[in-house]
Amino acid sequence: MKEKAGRERSGAGVKDSFEAEVHGYTWNLLRLSAAAAMAALAIHLGGIVLKGDASAFDAALMRALRTPGDLMAIGGPRFERIMRDVTALGSFGVAAMLVGAVGGYLSMSGRWICARALLAIPVGGWLLSNAIKVAIARPRPDVVPMLVTVSDASMPSGHTMMATVLYFTLAGLIAMRTDNVRLHRLAFICALVLTIAVGLSRVYLGVHWPTDVLAAVALGAAWTAAGLRLLTK
């Protein structure tokens, strides 16, 4: 009886620790979401107040990544190729391969809760992003030449949204399985760096306003936080 009670207390302690990890990680995501939303709002309102144009600061930031006069991409053809590679990290194809590979491993290992979260959060985020694109129907930027071909609406950035929900979900699943604080920070920082890199690549390539990227981060982080709280119980 005592041994059984000890196992029950141990199991309860592990569950409480896991829930605490989920709670702490999702709060960090909500802070990131709020920061991105406030930055987007500041750029939007700043353009209205100071320039009389909501897209004025958006346009200025995009031009800052181009050479004056001819508006060619800074860094030359080699750097442009690098940014094309970086932007692919937020593509549906790369996300599908990662979710399939990691999700398959988690399923075969019997970690069904993690596999479910890894599938549902990115897929749901992708659907949400596309629905908002259709609803808002913001035109693509026309202040600099686009370096890749796009056809859908602009807000939010689909690549940035996918990077946010995918990499922060992966980082969250890693963080929730260990008490190592350094590993928690490393996972979060890696996800953040990948998300920022994809977002910057979309602005660099001329296919998104900076506020599209910030809106995607804000929405994606909040979506991931909600998904992790609901799906890892």
Side-chain angles (χ1 to χ4, degrees):
M1 292 294 293
K2 290 182 178 180
E3 183 178 347
K4 181 179 179 181
R7 286 198 301 267
E8 289 177 350
R9 284 194 297 270
S10 177
V14 170
K15 182 179 179 181
D16 291 343
S17 176
F18 180 78
E19 290 179 351
E21 297 296 342
V22 174
H23 182 78
Y25 185 81
T26 53
W27 265 113
N28 286 334
L29 283 177
L30 292 175
R31 292 185 186 101
L32 173 63
S33 176
M38 287 188 290
L41 185 61
I43 292 173
H44 185 79
L45 293 179
I48 295 175
V49 173
L50 299 178
K51 301 290 185 179
D53 180 2
S55 298
F57 282 179
D58 262 329
L61 290 170
M62 295 189 73
R63 292 192 187 99
L65 298 177
R66 301 298 177 98
T67 56
D70 59 8
L71 295 179
M72 297 296 291
I74 60 174
R78 180 176 296 180
F79 189 68
E80 182 181 328
R81 287 194 296 270
I82 292 173
M83 295 306 280
R84 288 173 186 266
D85 291 339
V86 170
T87 211
L89 295 173
S91 67
F92 183 86
V94 170
M97 288 188 290
L98 274 174
V99 169
V102 179
Y105 167 76
L106 292 172
S107 298
M108 293 178 67
S109 302
R111 301 175 183 177
W112 298 106
I113 293 177
C114 292
R116 177 182 64 184
L118 182 58
L119 175 63
I121 296 173
V123 170
W126 178 75
L127 293 172
L128 179 63
S129 173
N130 281 280
I132 294 175
K133 278 179 179 286
V134 173
I136 296 178
R138 185 184 192 184
R140 292 279 180 168
D142 57 1
V143 295
V144 297
M146 294 185 185
L147 303 180
V148 293
T149 303
V150 291
S151 58
D152 56 353
S154 191
M155 179 178 275
S157 165
H159 280 68
T160 308
M161 177 81 168
M162 180 58 76
T164 304
V165 297
L166 175 61
Y167 298 122
F168 278 108
T169 297
L170 286 170
L173 296 178
I174 292 171
M176 292 169 193
R177 293 296 172 180
T178 177
D179 293 327
N180 190 320
V181 176
R182 290 184 178 179
L183 187 56
H184 290 191
R185 292 173 180 170
L186 177 61
F188 190 91
I189 290 171
C190 286
L192 183 62
V193 168
L194 288 169
T195 298
I196 291 173
V198 172
L200 285 175
S201 75
R202 302 308 285 169
V203 177
Y204 175 88
L205 294 171
V207 294
H208 278 294
W209 303 100
T211 44
D212 295 339
V213 169
L214 290 168
V217 174
L219 184 63
W223 178 264
T224 305
L228 289 173
R229 290 298 298 270
L230 291 173
L231 296 173
T232 57
K233 288 184 178 181

